[in-house]
Amino acid sequence: MTQKPEKLDQIWSEKDLCERLDLPVTKSGHSRQLSNWIRGGLKYVEKSGKRYFFEQDVIDYLWSRYKRTEID
């Protein structure tokens, strides 16, 4: 379950997250990789056409993917 962020720096815009993870961004400002992750279960909030991600959700999503590769 997602925990409420305690600080604004725990909420990342799509641009911020892409910079942190070195993901390419299209001209529209969206990341195809993040779109795939969203389809795979990564949670996000959309406001005024922009996507925002909570730090803990990103960590949980990446950790679950890591654990899945450990099993395979």
Side-chain angles (χ1 to χ4, degrees):
M1 181 170 172
T2 302
Q3 295 178 7
K4 176 183 165 189
E6 298 296 323
K7 300 181 232 168
L8 283 175
D9 64 356
Q10 294 172 322
I11 302 172
W12 300 335
S13 69
E14 185 163 357
K15 180 182 176 184
D16 292 338
L17 182 54
C18 288
E19 287 175 5
R20 286 175 180 268
L21 300 176
D22 196 27
L23 299 174
V25 178
T26 64
K27 289 181 183 179
S28 69
H30 291 295
S31 163
R32 288 189 179 119
Q33 183 64 53
L34 286 180
S35 294
N36 289 334
W37 291 0
I38 289 168
R39 282 191 288 279
L42 177 61
K43 297 176 186 175
Y44 73 101
V45 174
E46 189 166 334
K47 181 71 177 158
S48 301
K50 294 186 178 189
R51 300 190 290 198
Y52 297 90
F53 302 85
F54 297 151
E55 178 181 83
Q56 193 59 50
D57 288 340
V58 174
I59 292 168
D60 291 345
Y61 177 80
L62 293 174
W63 183 253
S64 72
R65 295 295 177 218
Y66 170 74
K67 294 303 282 180
R68 220 183 274 174
T69 59
E70 244 183 15
I71 295 170
D72 292 340

